[in-house]
Amino acid sequence: MKSIEKLMRKMEPDHDGKWAKFHPVWDGFYTFLFTPGETTVKGAHIRDGIDLKRTMFMVVTALIPCLLFGIYNTGHWHYVANGESTEFMHMFGDKLVYGLLKVLPLVIVAYAVGLGVEFMFCIKNQHAIQEGYLVTGMLIPLIVPADIPLWMLTIAIIFAVVLGKEVFGGTGMNIVNIALTARAFLFFGYPTMMSGDRVWMSGAPDGFSGPTQLGELASFTGAKADWAFGSIDGFMQSHSTLDAFIGMIPGSVGETSTVAILLGAALLLYTGIASWRIMLSFIAGGFVVGLLANQFAVNEYMMLPPVHHLVIGGFAFGAVFMITDPVTASQTNTGKFIYGFLGGALSITIRVFNGAYPEGVMMAILFMNVMAPLIDHYVVGANIKRRQKRLKTKAA
Amino acid sequence: MSKTIKLRKGLDIKLVGEADKVKATVERSDSFAIKPPDFHGLVPKMLVKVGDKVKAGTPIFEDKYNPDVNFVSPVAGEIEDVVRGAKRRILEIRIKADAENSFEDLGAVDTANMSGEEVKAYMLKNGLWPFIKMRPLDVIARPEDKPKAIFISGFDSSPLAPDYDFILHGENELFQRGLYALSKLTDGKIHLTLRGGSVADDTFTKAQGVQINKISGKHPIGNVGTQIHHIDPVNKGEVVWTVNAQDVALIGRVMSSGQFDASKVIAITGSEVKNPKYIKTTIGTKIDNIIADNIKEGNVRYISGNVLTGDKVDADGYLGFYHSQITVIPEGDEPKFMITQGWMSPGFNKFSINRSYFSWLTPNKKRVLDTNLNGEIRAFVVTGEMEKVFPFDIYPMQLIKSVMYNDIDLMENLGIYEVAPEDFALCEFVCTSKINIQSVIRDGLDVIQEECM
């Protein structure tokens, strides 16, 4: 350790030398390797062991089950599309290799491009390099189709990091979730790559159709006969809730398996990194709207069981990793309940009522990101009112 | 009506080095100091010069903007030095103590026959006033105020805190006399708050003329700010005063003897102390004799006060005016490699309110924590952690942010009048972004003092 430290110290650019501008980059690497010997000066002389690096590291760890499952699932649907395999565990090795070849480049590009942009801004502003992107860089590959061209991903990430984060001042200052900003950019910029029935199976041959369950639901036009499944029962028979729960469905890389997501959720909740308030109320919100839709079911789509809503599309992934982003979420505890509930409710509402856009979670969360300060404003306002009332009772 | 309060929020940080319940004596140091920075916002006006002879109780400086408030020497001796810092600000007034202590005759008084004004005049003149602090602002009380109540906390809940029951055992009479004196200063009540679920010493339980409240939970229940908030909160325009329990006895002692006897019992605690114990000493003492031969090898930090709110002092520094404790913990100024000890380590020896380190397996283990920040300063990212340890009906993060962007209206509305920096010590401890929250709150209080008081 001493030798590494010495080597790092040797490479440290002088503050007024030729490479002085690059000091933040050196500092970023140094503080990555070594917790600096910085001590408290006054105030609390001892500090909690946690820091932002550890927090972000925990989130990245929580994402690993999704990543691993996503790699395999990508391979699986490739071979299904090509008609070489139908059983999930058949041709395990081939599927894994194919998935790795597809997904790893996404991860590498996401980190390389995003961190590159971050470094440029840190050099320009002479800021310390902050840890927020460690998570964003892992989230982005997990919420795009495996087949997305890398240049598209690059543009989306540059857009998201610059306009979603750096213009607001960097980590901790952003208003909307950065990973979702990238996703939204792709969705609006290249809609044919982000929806429809062709993109969800990597390397599918021409003419093959393999939409997500949401895509199939959205293809319901109102007249039963036109719909491939005939009725919601027909749909449920060909797509069981259990399959969707385990993740054996096509979709974005990391969002399909609710099991893998729940593993991540368990880690985040147990360590206390993510807010259980937001997660719980998000799921409750989605479930309630799912139930309501059932009650008023005017078409077959609205009869989809609420539990099924929770395991298809990006709902579970959004509930655990997206809506809980502490920077863009509501910051008060009461606000978190409201924020999560509205987010979940809105997700399913968009799904059920907007036929053109079956995946409502991204929109709902982005919208709630913008609304979060308003929610907080009223929650804090209630506290202020209570405080002023105390003064009045006193005077009376 | 006495109140019983139960709090769920808070955090007890279990540290190695609690003081054994023995009162030891060490040789009296020959140097003492009064440090004006201990009294926040005070501008001292010197009344003595270097070389002057003083006795215990001789005024050595006064508050420039409130000349009634005198600060007196804790011991007899000669003014040795006036240490100044930037802009000639006075940092320390050092007194070289005589071998034999002698006292200024202040005149013993019986508060029973005195009016409030007389008590006040006596306390102001003879250096007893600085023991009274006020909320809002957490500074020395203003003599012209009429407080709506006076709060005394009968215990300290901070890490490794001294046990007041032990310190004040047998001081019934002096404590009671102090209470009588304080009762002349307010028309309201004197609240004495004790720890719920445990039996306090007679000194507290038999106190007359006070309202005894009970509070149970985790730190910061011993903080007088927490108690005020839950018993009789401060609204805008109201003032309450607070006095430390040991200082109440000191006030009683001075008034009944007519001698400024500034002796007090302090605890020397912390993982780097060989024999943590209680020591009888005097306000403002140099700590060299106290720590001599009692500190383990290595790079250590001396703190006058506790680990959450105390002041860093040198090995030849002086005890703070309000402090009843010296804590010695290791310095953490060595870089830590990420995998072995840093942010990626399993962290069996780290302490965190989150369970991201494996130290959660042993929640009751007493730990040795050093002064490392364990990270770097960042923008606020994580939310909800302060709310776990902040037992006020106040939104801590919102209040901190309102101070940071200097919105006075919002600060008032969110409750700046009720808080002191020490109330935010735990928030500062748990903050993932490593922001110096106590300093932020102090800045906010300074703005309020300037603009609104």
Side-chain angles (χ1 to χ4, degrees):
Chain A
M1 302 315 108
K2 281 273 170 221
S3 52
I4 305 178
E5 217 227 317
K6 256 190 198 154
L7 185 72
M8 283 300 289
R9 284 281 168 209
K10 222 170 157 184
M11 284 166 31
E12 178 173 6
D14 265 345
H15 275 284
D16 43 6
K18 187 173 147 198
W19 297 97
K21 275 200 154 151
F22 291 89
H23 198 275
V25 176
W26 176 86
D27 188 65
F29 282 106
Y30 180 79
T31 55
F32 183 83
L33 287 172
F34 297 94
T35 304
E38 235 169 277
T39 56
T40 52
V41 183
K42 56 180 182 177
H45 294 267
I46 53 173
R47 295 297 175 96
D48 194 297
I50 200 164
D51 70 339
L52 213 49
K53 284 193 175 69
R54 182 77 177 184
T55 313
M56 296 299 172
F57 173 64
M58 281 291 142
V59 184
V60 173
T61 313
L63 283 164
I64 285 175
C66 295
L67 179 72
L68 296 180
F69 189 90
I71 288 171
Y72 182 75
N73 201 40
T74 304
H76 171 67
W77 289 104
H78 170 72
Y79 285 106
V80 169
N82 286 291
E84 290 175 43
S85 169
T86 47
E87 285 294 306
F88 199 69
M89 296 307 284
H90 181 231
M91 295 172 66
F92 186 84
D94 291 341
K95 290 175 181 173
L96 203 62
V97 169
Y98 184 86
L100 274 174
L101 289 176
K102 274 288 168 188
V103 177
L104 276 191
L106 298 181
V107 177
I108 293 166
V109 166
Y111 274 115
V113 174
L115 287 176
V117 176
E118 288 256 305
F119 281 16
M120 274 162 54
F121 274 91
C122 287
I123 292 167
K124 183 184 158 287
N125 298 334
Q126 293 291 303
H127 278 171
I129 288 166
Q130 308 212 348
E131 295 80 8
Y133 194 77
L134 293 179
V135 170
T136 315
M138 183 60 94
L139 285 174
I140 290 175
L142 295 181
I143 55 170
V144 293
D147 255 358
I148 189 164
L150 295 178
W151 64 266
M152 242 180 232
L153 192 65
T154 305
I155 296 177
I157 289 169
I158 293 173
F159 173 85
V161 175
V162 174
L163 282 177
K165 174 152 120 180
E166 296 299 342
V167 292
F168 294 108
T171 301
M173 315 282 189
N174 47 307
I175 291 170
V176 289
N177 187 307
I178 298 141
L180 282 178
T181 310
R183 176 71 152 81
F185 179 85
L186 288 170
F187 179 79
F188 290 110
Y190 309 98
T192 53
M193 283 310 297
M194 300 299 290
S195 55
D197 57 3
R198 285 222 358 101
V199 305
W200 303 108
M201 293 191 182
S202 172
D206 279 351
F208 184 87
S209 165
T212 61
Q213 291 194 14
L214 283 165
E216 292 184 18
L217 281 166
S219 66
F220 169 78
T221 55
K224 272 186 191 177
D226 293 355
W227 198 28
F229 299 98
S231 70
I232 201 73
D233 290 336
F235 177 85
M236 290 300 293
Q237 262 161 23
S238 62
H239 298 299
S240 80
T241 306
L242 187 66
D243 278 354
F245 181 70
I246 295 170
M248 295 186 291
I249 50 172
S252 296
V253 175
E255 72 179 20
T256 57
S257 171
T258 311
V259 176
I261 293 164
L262 283 178
L263 283 178
L267 179 71
L268 291 184
L269 290 178
Y270 192 74
T271 53
I273 300 290
S275 164
W276 61 269
R277 292 181 174 87
I278 298 180
M279 254 188 238
L280 184 77
S281 57
F282 187 80
I283 292 166
F287 190 80
V288 166
V289 172
L291 268 183
L292 277 178
N294 283 175
Q295 305 309 312
F296 299 99
V298 290
N299 60 34
E300 291 286 335
Y301 188 176
M302 289 173 73
M303 285 160 70
L304 190 70
V307 174
H308 199 77
H309 266 304
L310 306 184
V311 295
I312 57 171
F315 192 87
F317 194 84
V320 174
F321 296 109
M322 291 296 179
I323 191 103
T324 51
D325 170 9
V327 175
T328 54
S330 225
Q331 304 195 337
T332 53
N333 283 342
T334 320
K336 281 174 181 166
F337 282 118
I338 303 170
Y339 171 81
F341 189 86
L342 291 180
L346 201 57
S347 299
I348 304 300
T349 311
I350 297 175
R351 255 188 205 178
V352 177
F353 291 104
N354 185 352
Y357 181 53
E359 179 52 283
V361 178
M362 173 185 88
M363 286 304 189
I365 294 176
L366 284 175
F367 181 73
M368 290 313 295
N369 284 168
V370 178
M371 288 297 141
L374 187 70
I375 296 172
D376 280 340
H377 176 81
Y378 282 107
V379 172
V380 173
N383 176 275
I384 290 171
K385 267 204 196 111
R386 191 161 63 235
R387 189 172 293 287
Q388 283 168 346
K389 210 167 143 194
R390 186 179 85 193
L391 191 64
K392 271 186 210 135
T393 7
K394 186 91 190 166
Chain B
M1 272 298 288
S2 15
K3 287 198 175 182
T4 305
I5 302 150
K6 283 200 181 83
L7 297 180
R8 282 157 182 270
K9 292 178 174 179
L11 176 68
D12 283 330
I13 305 168
K14 299 186 178 74
L15 296 180
V16 171
E18 199 174 332
D20 295 331
K21 294 226 165 84
V22 284
K23 277 184 198 167
T25 44
V26 293
E27 203 183 327
R28 196 170 77 117
S29 175
D30 62 355
S31 182
F32 290 78
I34 293 295
K35 302 185 272 189
D38 282 350
F39 315 102
H40 183 80
L42 174 85
V43 182
K45 188 178 170 209
M46 293 299 294
L47 299 172
V48 290
K49 302 188 295 293
V50 173
D52 282 1
K53 285 277 183 194
V54 292
K55 288 180 181 174
T58 311
I60 52 175
F61 63 87
E62 64 185 23
D63 182 347
K64 184 175 176 186
Y65 299 108
N66 218 337
D68 290 342
V69 184
N70 274 339
F71 296 79
V72 302
S73 171
V75 288
E78 183 184 319
I79 304 291
E80 189 185 9
D81 198 3
V82 177
V83 182
R84 287 173 187 270
K87 295 185 184 167
R88 293 186 48 76
R89 185 165 170 243
I90 299 175
L91 300 180
E92 282 173 8
I93 295 145
R94 293 188 186 160
I95 300 148
K96 192 175 170 54
D98 295 340
E100 202 57 40
N101 206 7
S102 58
F103 296 94
E104 202 82 56
D105 183 21
L106 312 176
V109 288
D110 183 5
T111 49
N113 310 320
M114 291 166 82
S115 72
E117 284 307 311
E118 284 166 340
V119 172
K120 191 182 277 184
Y122 185 91
M123 292 181 72
L124 284 167
K125 179 164 166 278
N126 298 318
L128 295 174
W129 195 259
F131 291 112
I132 306 175
K133 289 176 119 184
M134 66 183 260
R135 296 284 174 115
L137 300 182
D138 194 39
V139 294
I140 295 175
R142 291 179 304 200
E144 67 271 20
D145 282 337
K146 224 23 180 171
K148 72 166 179 171
I150 296 179
F151 280 81
I152 299 160
S153 174
F155 64 103
D156 189 345
S157 60
S158 47
L160 302 177
D163 182 352
Y164 289 173
D165 291 333
F166 176 70
I167 288 180
L168 289 175
H169 179 72
E171 306 256 323
N172 305 34
E173 201 184 327
L174 298 179
F175 187 72
Q176 190 59 56
R177 277 176 176 270
L179 289 179
Y180 280 142
L182 292 175
S183 68
K184 301 276 177 176
L185 300 175
T186 175
D187 298 332
K189 285 177 181 154
I190 296 186
H191 292 274
L192 175 63
T193 310
L194 304 176
R195 194 191 284 274
S198 70
V199 182
D201 193 80
D202 279 357
T203 307
F204 296 120
T205 51
K206 299 216 168 127
Q208 303 284 311
V210 295
Q211 174 174 320
I212 293 181
N213 310 293
K214 296 262 185 182
I215 186 166
S216 59
K218 297 173 184 160
H219 184 63
I221 53 166
N223 276 8
V224 74
T226 314
Q227 298 167 2
I228 296 170
H229 180 81
H230 289 280
I231 293 165
D232 189 5
V234 187
N235 298 300
K236 187 181 179 182
E238 293 175 341
V239 173
V240 304
W241 287 353
T242 69
V243 189
N244 183 296
Q246 204 177 169
D247 296 339
V248 175
L250 194 148
I251 291 170
R253 185 165 63 223
V254 174
M255 294 187 97
S256 57
S257 67
Q259 296 183 332
F260 194 88
D261 177 2
S263 59
K264 73 197 285 185
V265 176
I266 66 165
I268 172 156
T269 59
S271 58
E272 301 310 292
V273 180
K274 284 184 198 156
N275 293 311
K277 59 193 173 188
Y278 289 84
I279 288 169
K280 199 156 192 280
T281 182
T282 309
I283 287 176
T285 179
K286 193 171 186 175
I287 64 171
D288 53 357
N289 285 354
I290 296 172
I291 58 174
D293 303 327
N294 201 9
I295 304 298
K296 293 175 190 164
E297 290 288 308
N299 189 7
V300 297
R301 172 169 300 186
Y302 301 98
I303 301 164
S304 171
N306 65 53
V307 287
L308 290 178
T309 60
D311 295 324
K312 179 182 175 180
V313 291
D314 295 331
D316 58 353
Y318 297 86
L319 181 69
F321 188 82
Y322 294 106
H323 295 147
S324 305
Q325 184 180 9
I326 292 172
T327 312
V328 190
I329 57 173
E331 281 281 5
D333 54 356
E334 286 284 308
K336 296 173 176 172
F337 187 59
M338 62 169 182
I339 298 170
T340 51
Q341 285 181 307
W343 59 274
M344 224 190 239
S345 68
F348 289 105
N349 54 1
K350 295 203 179 230
F351 179 83
S352 175
I353 57 158
N354 297 306
R355 281 184 280 202
S356 82
Y357 289 105
F358 282 104
S359 55
W360 63 263
L361 290 165
T362 48
N364 289 319
K365 191 182 162 193
K366 291 186 175 175
R367 296 180 189 286
V368 178
L369 297 183
D370 63 27
T371 63
N372 197 294
L373 263 181
N374 294 321
E376 295 163 283
I377 292 176
R378 290 287 182 261
F380 282 119
V381 170
V382 180
T383 62
E385 52 185 359
M386 293 180 195
E387 285 78 357
K388 288 183 199 164
V389 297
F390 190 70
F392 287 57
D393 180 22
I394 284 176
Y395 285 104
M397 191 180 244
Q398 280 70 19
L399 178 57
I400 294 161
K401 285 184 177 173
S402 72
V403 173
M404 284 176 157
Y405 52 71
N406 215 5
D407 183 336
I408 292 174
D409 260 359
L410 196 57
M411 280 189 241
E412 286 189 335
N413 287 334
L414 288 173
I416 189 88
Y417 291 111
E418 294 188 51
V419 298
E422 63 169 16
D423 298 327
F424 279 85
L426 277 175
C427 293
E428 183 169 72
F429 174 79
V430 300
C431 180
T432 304
S433 301
K434 312 292 175 193
I435 290 165
N436 290 323
I437 292 168
Q438 292 189 75
S439 318
V440 173
I441 293 297
R442 179 44 87 190
D443 291 346
L445 291 172
D446 287 348
V447 171
I448 290 289
Q449 179 166 29
E450 207 168 292
E451 305 283 338
C452 310
M453 301 291 286

Coordinates of all heavy atoms in Angstrom, one line a residue, chain A residues 340-381:
Chain A
G340 N -43.6 9.1 -3.8 CA -43.6 7.7 -4.3 C -44.9 7.2 -4.8 O -45.1 6.6 -5.9
F341 N -45.9 7.6 -4.0 CA -47.3 7.1 -4.4 C -47.7 7.7 -5.7 O -48.2 7.0 -6.6 CB -48.3 7.5 -3.3 CG -49.6 6.9 -3.4 CD1 -49.9 5.6 -2.9 CD2 -50.6 7.5 -4.1 CE1 -51.1 5.0 -3.1 CE2 -51.9 6.9 -4.3 CZ -52.1 5.7 -3.8
L342 N -47.5 9.0 -5.8 CA -47.9 9.6 -7.1 C -47.2 9.1 -8.3 O -47.7 8.9 -9.4 CB -47.8 11.1 -7.0 CG -48.7 11.9 -6.0 CD1 -48.4 13.4 -6.0 CD2 -50.2 11.6 -6.4
G343 N -45.9 8.8 -8.0 CA -45.0 8.3 -9.1 C -45.5 6.9 -9.6 O -45.7 6.7 -10.8
G344 N -45.8 6.1 -8.6 CA -46.3 4.7 -9.0 C -47.7 4.8 -9.7 O -48.0 4.1 -10.7
A345 N -48.6 5.7 -9.1 CA -49.9 5.8 -9.7 C -49.8 6.3 -11.1 O -50.5 5.8 -12.0 CB -50.7 6.7 -8.8
L346 N -49.0 7.3 -11.3 CA -48.8 7.9 -12.6 C -48.3 6.9 -13.6 O -48.7 6.9 -14.8 CB -47.9 9.1 -12.5 CG -48.0 10.2 -13.6 CD1 -49.5 10.7 -13.7 CD2 -47.1 11.4 -13.2
S347 N -47.3 6.1 -13.2 CA -46.7 5.1 -14.1 C -47.8 4.2 -14.7 O -47.8 4.0 -15.9 CB -45.7 4.2 -13.3 OG -44.7 5.0 -12.8
I348 N -48.6 3.7 -13.9 CA -49.6 2.8 -14.4 C -50.7 3.5 -15.1 O -51.2 3.0 -16.1 CB -50.2 1.9 -13.2 CG1 -49.1 1.2 -12.4 CG2 -51.3 0.9 -13.7 CD1 -48.3 0.3 -13.3
T349 N -51.0 4.7 -14.7 CA -52.0 5.5 -15.4 C -51.5 5.7 -16.9 O -52.3 5.6 -17.8 CB -52.2 6.9 -14.7 OG1 -52.4 6.7 -13.4 CG2 -53.4 7.6 -15.3
I350 N -50.3 6.1 -17.0 CA -49.8 6.3 -18.4 C -49.8 5.0 -19.2 O -50.3 5.0 -20.3 CB -48.3 6.9 -18.4 CG1 -48.3 8.3 -17.7 CG2 -47.8 7.0 -19.8 CD1 -46.9 8.8 -17.5
R351 N -49.4 4.0 -18.6 CA -49.5 2.7 -19.2 C -50.9 2.3 -19.7 O -51.1 1.9 -20.9 CB -49.1 1.6 -18.2 CG -47.8 1.0 -18.4 CD -47.7 -0.2 -17.5 NE -46.2 -0.3 -17.2 CZ -45.8 -1.3 -16.3 NH1 -46.6 -2.1 -15.7 NH2 -44.5 -1.4 -16.1
V352 N -51.8 2.5 -18.9 CA -53.2 2.0 -19.2 C -53.9 3.0 -20.1 O -54.7 2.5 -21.0 CB -54.0 1.9 -17.9 CG1 -55.4 1.4 -18.2 CG2 -53.3 0.8 -17.0
F353 N -53.7 4.2 -20.0 CA -54.5 5.2 -20.8 C -53.8 5.7 -22.0 O -54.5 6.3 -22.9 CB -55.0 6.4 -19.9 CG -56.0 5.9 -18.9 CD1 -55.6 5.8 -17.5 CD2 -57.3 5.7 -19.2 CE1 -56.5 5.4 -16.6 CE2 -58.2 5.2 -18.3 CZ -57.8 5.1 -17.0
N354 N -52.5 5.5 -22.1 CA -51.9 6.1 -23.3 C -51.4 5.0 -24.2 O -50.3 4.4 -23.9 CB -50.7 7.0 -22.8 CG -50.0 7.7 -24.0 OD1 -50.3 7.4 -25.1 ND2 -49.1 8.6 -23.6
G355 N -52.1 4.7 -25.1 CA -51.8 3.5 -26.0 C -50.5 3.7 -26.8 O -49.8 2.8 -27.1
A356 N -50.2 5.0 -27.0 CA -49.0 5.2 -27.9 C -47.7 5.0 -27.0 O -46.6 4.9 -27.6 CB -49.0 6.6 -28.4
Y357 N -47.8 5.0 -25.7 CA -46.6 4.9 -24.9 C -46.8 3.9 -23.8 O -47.2 4.3 -22.7 CB -46.2 6.3 -24.4 CG -45.0 6.2 -23.6 CD1 -43.8 5.6 -24.1 CD2 -44.9 6.7 -22.3 CE1 -42.7 5.5 -23.4 CE2 -43.8 6.6 -21.6 CZ -42.6 6.0 -22.1 OH -41.5 5.9 -21.4
P358 N -46.6 2.7 -24.0 CA -46.9 1.7 -23.0 C -46.0 1.7 -21.8 O -46.4 1.2 -20.7 CB -46.8 0.3 -23.8 CG -45.9 0.6 -24.9 CD -46.1 2.0 -25.3
E359 N -44.8 2.2 -21.9 CA -43.9 2.2 -20.8 C -44.0 3.5 -20.0 O -43.4 4.5 -20.4 CB -42.5 1.9 -21.3 CG -41.5 1.9 -20.1 CD -41.8 1.0 -19.0 OE1 -42.7 1.3 -18.2 OE2 -41.3 -0.1 -19.0
G360 N -44.8 3.5 -19.0 CA -45.1 4.8 -18.4 C -44.1 5.2 -17.3 O -44.1 6.4 -16.8
V361 N -43.3 4.3 -16.9 CA -42.5 4.5 -15.7 C -41.5 5.7 -15.9 O -41.4 6.6 -15.0 CB -41.8 3.2 -15.2 CG1 -40.9 3.5 -14.0 CG2 -42.8 2.2 -15.0
M362 N -40.8 5.7 -17.0 CA -39.8 6.7 -17.2 C -40.5 8.1 -17.2 O -40.0 9.0 -16.5 CB -39.2 6.5 -18.6 CG -38.3 7.6 -19.1 SD -37.7 7.3 -20.7 CE -39.0 8.1 -21.7
M363 N -41.6 8.3 -17.9 CA -42.3 9.5 -17.9 C -42.7 9.9 -16.5 O -42.6 11.1 -16.1 CB -43.5 9.4 -18.8 CG -43.2 9.4 -20.3 SD -42.2 10.9 -20.6 CE -42.2 10.8 -22.4
A364 N -43.3 9.0 -15.8 CA -43.9 9.3 -14.5 C -42.8 9.7 -13.6 O -42.9 10.7 -12.9 CB -44.5 8.0 -13.9
I365 N -41.6 9.1 -13.6 CA -40.5 9.4 -12.7 C -40.0 10.8 -13.1 O -39.7 11.6 -12.2 CB -39.5 8.3 -12.6 CG1 -40.1 7.1 -12.0 CG2 -38.3 8.8 -11.8 CD1 -39.1 5.9 -12.0
L366 N -39.8 11.0 -14.3 CA -39.2 12.3 -14.7 C -40.2 13.4 -14.3 O -39.8 14.5 -13.8 CB -39.0 12.4 -16.2 CG -37.8 11.6 -16.7 CD1 -37.7 11.6 -18.3 CD2 -36.5 12.2 -16.2
F367 N -41.5 13.2 -14.5 CA -42.5 14.2 -14.1 C -42.4 14.4 -12.6 O -42.4 15.6 -12.1 CB -43.9 13.7 -14.5 CG -44.9 14.7 -14.2 CD1 -45.1 15.9 -14.9 CD2 -45.8 14.4 -13.2 CE1 -46.1 16.8 -14.6 CE2 -46.8 15.3 -12.9 CZ -46.9 16.5 -13.6
M368 N -42.3 13.3 -11.8 CA -42.3 13.5 -10.4 C -41.0 14.1 -9.9 O -41.0 14.9 -8.9 CB -42.5 12.1 -9.7 CG -43.9 11.5 -9.9 SD -45.2 12.7 -9.5 CE -45.0 13.0 -7.8
N369 N -39.9 13.9 -10.6 CA -38.7 14.6 -10.3 C -38.9 16.1 -10.3 O -38.4 16.8 -9.4 CB -37.6 14.3 -11.3 CG -37.0 12.9 -11.2 OD1 -36.2 12.5 -12.0 ND2 -37.2 12.3 -10.1
V370 N -39.6 16.5 -11.3 CA -39.9 18.0 -11.4 C -40.8 18.5 -10.3 O -40.7 19.6 -9.8 CB -40.4 18.3 -12.8 CG1 -40.7 19.8 -13.0 CG2 -39.4 17.9 -13.9
M371 N -41.7 17.6 -9.9 CA -42.7 17.9 -8.9 C -42.2 17.9 -7.5 O -42.8 18.4 -6.6 CB -44.0 17.0 -9.1 CG -44.8 17.3 -10.3 SD -45.4 18.9 -10.2 CE -45.3 19.4 -11.9
A372 N -41.1 17.1 -7.3 CA -40.6 16.9 -5.9 C -40.4 18.1 -5.1 O -40.9 18.2 -4.0 CB -39.4 16.0 -6.0
P373 N -39.8 19.2 -5.7 CA -39.6 20.4 -4.8 C -41.0 21.0 -4.4 O -41.1 21.6 -3.3 CB -38.9 21.3 -5.8 CG -38.2 20.5 -6.8 CD -39.1 19.3 -7.0
L374 N -42.0 20.9 -5.3 CA -43.3 21.4 -4.9 C -43.9 20.6 -3.8 O -44.4 21.2 -2.8 CB -44.2 21.3 -6.2 CG -45.6 22.0 -6.0 CD1 -45.4 23.5 -6.0 CD2 -46.5 21.6 -7.1
I375 N -43.8 19.3 -3.8 CA -44.2 18.5 -2.7 C -43.6 18.9 -1.4 O -44.2 19.2 -0.4 CB -44.0 17.0 -3.0 CG1 -44.8 16.6 -4.2 CG2 -44.4 16.2 -1.8 CD1 -44.5 15.2 -4.7
D376 N -42.2 19.0 -1.5 CA -41.5 19.4 -0.3 C -41.9 20.8 0.2 O -42.0 21.1 1.4 CB -40.0 19.5 -0.6 CG -39.4 18.1 -0.6 OD1 -40.0 17.2 0.0 OD2 -38.3 17.9 -1.2
H377 N -42.2 21.7 -0.8 CA -42.6 23.0 -0.4 C -43.8 23.0 0.5 O -43.9 23.7 1.5 CB -42.9 23.9 -1.7 CG -43.4 25.2 -1.4 ND1 -42.6 26.3 -1.1 CD2 -44.7 25.7 -1.4 CE1 -43.3 27.3 -0.9 NE2 -44.6 27.0 -1.1
Y378 N -44.8 22.2 0.1 CA -46.0 22.1 0.9 C -45.8 21.4 2.2 O -46.4 21.7 3.2 CB -47.2 21.5 0.1 CG -47.7 22.5 -0.9 CD1 -47.5 22.4 -2.2 CD2 -48.4 23.6 -0.4 CE1 -47.9 23.4 -3.1 CE2 -48.9 24.6 -1.3 CZ -48.6 24.5 -2.6 OH -49.1 25.4 -3.5
V379 N -45.0 20.3 2.2 CA -44.7 19.6 3.5 C -44.0 20.5 4.5 O -44.4 20.6 5.6 CB -43.9 18.4 3.2 CG1 -43.5 17.7 4.5 CG2 -44.7 17.4 2.4
V380 N -43.0 21.2 4.0 CA -42.3 22.2 4.9 C -43.2 23.3 5.3 O -43.2 23.8 6.4 CB -41.0 22.7 4.2 CG1 -40.4 23.8 5.0 CG2 -40.0 21.6 3.9
G381 N -44.1 23.7 4.3 CA -45.1 24.8 4.7 C -46.0 24.4 5.8 O -46.3 25.2 6.7

